């Protein structure tokens, strides 16, 4: 349906050089390869705590915090230790880019504090994803969420405490508003509760001095008429948020999301938005017969690298909200949702290199 976005992507070889150079061990073949790579300097410091910055040369390497302990980083270390430079280069295309940190449920305060403190030390804001609302995901692969409304309020309060006055960008509750529009997904008696919880979360997070908040608003394939998302966003507190997020964990093209988001913005007070470009380099999978076309579809590619230099007045950033390389669920041969899917990660990077 949509064309590729090869023009927006840089090849993984350039992205891999810095990380491989840092990890190389003298005397190995991989180290020799790295020493021949271009010696670009690390990212420059961000001048404002809540706003991602770019390098002075206009490139967009790591405008947000890169987690050194991510599953992608672990996969990169394994590939490097094996001596497979080609595989390491492909994994590095993912591992070296900043991606969303999806906070857990056990100790969100400590986790949020650890991430924001590490990001502050690196002088880069982290991207946090809050995904714990009750009745989450309509009982599908990522079902769960807080057991009660009060449990969710407590979870949000602990996240807020953990962030404190440090910088953070937050994407709030992927799919929650779109699922409220799906008949039979969230029981009707809980709709008002969900709007209330989202609105309260926006209020708490937006009160933090260094935090930017984006309410998830689905994607243009799911909610095809942006007018249908206006009332849900308003009831969920879009007026107090910095904007909305599109295409989280999906594959719709950047062009389609920009068009959709621009129309939606005009209906909600000119709010800005961010787009998940983590896996949309080849657009969505073709065909409409597969009800799980969104789940580990083959033939996809990494999309535009994270950047705040979008060239679009209303688009604050292209982000990797979904961590590419991690499974959508146990479909099409994938492991459980959120686990590292190595063959799929390699395919995403390889397709981005050779569109």
């Amino acid at each position: 349906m949509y064309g590729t976005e090869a023009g927006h992507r840089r090849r993984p070889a350039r992205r891999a050089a810095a990380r491989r150079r840092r990890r190389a061990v003298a005397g190995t073949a991989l180290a020799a390869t790295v020493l021949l790579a271009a010696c670009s300097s690390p990212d420059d410091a961000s001048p404002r705590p809540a706003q991602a910055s770019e390098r002075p040369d206009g490139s967009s390497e790591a405008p947000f915090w890169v987690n050194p302990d991510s599953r992608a980083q672990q996969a990169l270390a394994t590939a490097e230790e094996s001596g497979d430079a080609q595989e390491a280069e492909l994994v590095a295309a993912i591992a070296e880019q900043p991606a969303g940190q999806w906070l857990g449920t056990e100790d969100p305060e400590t986790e949020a504090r650890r991430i924001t403190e590490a990001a502050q030390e690196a002088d880069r804001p982290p991207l946090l994803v809050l995904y714990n609302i009750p009745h989450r995901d309509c009982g599908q692969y990522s079902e769960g969420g807080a057991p009660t409304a009060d449990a969710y309020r407590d979870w949000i309060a602990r996240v807020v405490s953990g962030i404190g006055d440090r910088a953070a960008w937050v994407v709030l509750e992927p799919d929650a508003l779109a699922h409220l529009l799906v008949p039979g997904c969230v029981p009707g008696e809980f709709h008002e509760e969900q709007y209330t919880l989202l609105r309260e979360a926006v209020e708490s997070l937006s009160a933090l001095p260094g935090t930017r908040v984006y309410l998830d608003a689905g994607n243009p394939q799911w909610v095809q008429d942006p007018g249908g998302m206006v009332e849900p966003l308003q009831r969920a507190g879009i007026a107090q948020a910095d904007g909305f997020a599109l295409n989280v964990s999906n594959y719709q093209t950047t062009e389609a999301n920009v068009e959709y988001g621009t129309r939606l913005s005009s209906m909600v007070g000119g709010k800005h938005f961010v787009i998940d470009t983590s896996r949309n380099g080849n657009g969505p999978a073709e065909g409409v017969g597969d009800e799980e076309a969104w789940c580990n579809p083959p033939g996809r590619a990494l999309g535009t690298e994270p950047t705040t230099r979008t060239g679009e007045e209303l688009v604050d950033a292209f982000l990797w909200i979904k961590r590419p390389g991690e499974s959508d669920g146990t479909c099409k041969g994938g492991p459980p949702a959120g686990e590292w899917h190595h063959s799929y990660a390699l395919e995403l990077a390889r397709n981005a290199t050779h569109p």
Side-chain angles (χ1 to χ4, degrees):
M1 181 182 300
Y2 301 108
T4 63
E5 296 179 311
H8 291 288
R9 301 192 299 272
R10 293 191 301 279
R11 298 191 182 278
R14 293 175 56 192
R15 297 179 289 197
R19 175 65 178 171
R20 288 164 55 203
R21 183 171 59 253
R22 288 195 299 271
R23 298 184 62 90
V25 178
T28 66
L30 182 58
T33 301
V34 172
L35 289 173
L36 292 174
C39 50
S40 58
S41 61
D43 300 302
D44 294 329
S46 174
R48 293 187 296 166
Q51 174 70 45
S53 71
E54 309 292 341
R55 293 164 57 103
D57 63 3
S59 61
S60 61
E61 287 92 333
F64 297 88
W65 179 68
V66 177
N67 184 352
D69 300 315
S70 69
R71 292 183 178 91
Q73 292 280 0
Q74 295 166 14
L76 175 58
T78 299
E80 290 175 336
E81 290 167 3
S82 74
D84 189 334
Q86 184 178 24
E87 181 169 314
E89 187 172 301
L90 290 173
V91 178
I94 296 173
E96 292 173 0
Q97 294 301 323
Q101 304 301 304
W102 296 59
L103 296 188
T105 58
E106 291 186 4
D107 191 355
E109 181 173 355
T110 297
E111 188 176 6
R113 180 176 294 109
R114 174 183 59 78
I115 290 171
T116 53
E117 285 179 347
Q120 184 178 61
E121 181 67 22
D123 216 357
R124 295 287 177 186
L127 173 62
L128 305 180
V129 186
L130 306 189
Y131 186 56
N132 191 38
I133 199 160
H135 315 291
R136 187 181 72 191
D137 202 34
C138 302
Q140 298 184 81
Y141 291 112
S142 296
E143 66 178 333
T148 66
D150 285 341
Y152 184 76
R153 291 185 175 99
D154 177 68
W155 185 77
I156 288 291
R158 288 190 285 166
V159 170
V160 168
S161 178
I163 295 173
D165 61 359
R166 291 174 292 278
W169 287 42
V170 174
V171 172
L172 184 60
E173 295 300 340
D175 298 346
L177 289 179
H179 274 151
L180 287 172
L181 300 177
V182 177
C185 177
V186 179
E189 62 266 29
F190 296 115
H191 282 204
E192 186 57 43
E193 175 185 273
Q194 292 221 326
Y195 286 125
T196 299
L197 292 176
L198 289 169
R199 187 169 59 251
E200 291 173 353
V202 169
E203 292 172 354
S204 297
L205 290 161
S206 63
L208 296 174
T211 298
R212 300 168 68 98
V213 186
Y214 296 87
L215 270 166
D216 185 74
N219 65 69
Q221 189 278 329
W222 191 357
V223 186
Q224 296 182 11
D225 177 6
M229 186 55 70
V230 172
E231 183 180 358
L233 281 171
Q234 291 173 337
R235 295 175 68 181
I238 188 63
Q240 287 188 266
D242 290 275
F244 54 91
L246 297 177
N247 205 46
V248 175
S249 298
N250 211 278
Y251 301 83
Q252 308 306 308
T253 66
T254 300
E255 289 87 352
N257 278 283
V258 169
E259 179 183 1
Y260 175 91
T262 300
R263 293 169 60 198
L264 179 55
S265 172
S266 70
M267 304 176 194
V268 290
K271 287 292 183 177
H272 287 208
F273 56 100
V274 297
I275 299 171
D276 187 349
T277 59
S278 58
R279 305 179 300 177
N280 73 345
N282 283 344
E286 295 183 0
V288 296
D290 182 2
E291 292 183 357
E292 294 185 340
W294 55 270
C295 193
N296 301 323
R300 301 311 93 203
L302 299 175
T304 307
E305 294 173 0
T307 181
T308 55
R309 296 183 184 275
T310 66
E312 300 286 346
E313 182 179 357
L314 292 172
V315 183
D316 287 346
F318 298 138
L319 302 172
W320 285 9
I321 301 172
K322 167 69 177 184
R323 295 193 290 256
E326 295 187 8
S327 178
D328 291 318
T330 53
C331 48
K332 301 181 179 69
E339 292 190 9
W340 182 253
H341 192 346
H342 192 67
S343 61
Y344 197 67
L346 296 179
E347 182 182 15
L348 289 171
R350 189 178 295 113
N351 289 345
T353 309
H354 305 288

